Amino acid sequence: MSRVASIVSGAALVLFGAGCFVVPSMPRSAPEQGVRSVAATESTKSFTATESSSWSPLAIGAAFGLLAAVVTAQPVLAADLENGEAVFQGNCTACHAGGNNSIVAEKKLKKDALVTYGKYDVGAIIKQVTNGNGSMPAFGDKLGPDDIEDVANYVYNKADKW
Ligand SMILES: *[C@@H]1O[C@H](CO)[C@@H](O)[C@H](O)[C@H]1NC(C)=O
Ligand SMILES: *[C@@H]1O[C@H](CO)[C@@H](O)[C@H](O)[C@H]1NC(C)=O
Ligand SMILES: *[C@@H]1O[C@H](CO)[C@@H](O)[C@H](O)[C@H]1NC(C)=O
């Protein structure tokens, strides 16, 4: 998520920056009426044309960046859950296969159990995975924050589907 957010805000910043060049010229031509507006429009056009050569590639690039960020927003989210699943398969199934708990049977990863033990919350799962709890080992040294966030989201999303 943070990756998408930074891409979007980055693209938005560039777009906003490009917008600053264009917007100030608009009030100048907008209030003008009749014949004079043709000249005004012409001068605005040539002004904009000269300016456009400097900002246009940037704006187009930013627009594509924003488009790509918007278009890929869903797949990126899906990929995070996919990565979460991969992390889960590699690091959690030893004790939590099928959402079960082979050590403390009642502390399953199913929604009912998570709710009962106050863990039906991505933040609480992140904390549990990072620091461990009881007989569950800590993963704070083994997994990066992104992998922990992904696996926590995977567990949370899977809780009512095991
Ligand atoms: C735990 O997950 C990480 C990240 O996907 C992976 O690199 C590592 O090999 C996994 N650990 C095990 C024991 O599979
Ligand atoms: C999980 O536990 C249930 C019973 O609580 C059992 O039926 C199921 O086979 C277990 N799943 C796995 C993958 O061990
Ligand atoms: C496990 O987590 C629960 C709820 O967050 C907490 O009350 C408890 O003290 C934790 N146990 C250990 C051993 O850290």
Side-chain angles (χ1 to χ4, degrees), residues 59-148:
I60 290 169
F64 270 106
L66 189 61
L67 186 70
V70 169
V71 167
T72 57
Q74 279 310 105
V76 166
L77 183 65
D80 283 352
L81 290 179
E82 268 171 39
N83 181 49
E85 180 169 13
V87 172
F88 188 87
Q89 300 301 341
N91 292 268
C92 317
T93 46
C95 304
H96 293 299
N100 287 343
N101 190 325
S102 58
I103 298 184
V104 181
E106 68 274 20
K107 291 190 174 172
K108 300 186 196 310
L109 304 186
K110 296 172 189 188
K111 186 178 171 181
D112 287 354
L114 291 178
V115 169
T116 301
Y117 298 104
K119 301 285 162 68
Y120 191 58
D121 173 73
V122 172
I125 301 173
I126 287 176
K127 208 176 147 199
Q128 168 103 9
V129 172
T130 307
N131 305 323
N133 186 294
S135 315
M136 174 165 155
F139 287 84
D141 301 336
K142 293 184 202 160
L143 297 173
D146 282 357
D147 280 342
I148 292 178

Side-chain angles (χ1 to χ4, degrees), residues 5-17:
S6 63
I7 292 168
V8 171
S9 57
L13 256 177
V14 178
L15 265 184
F16 178 75

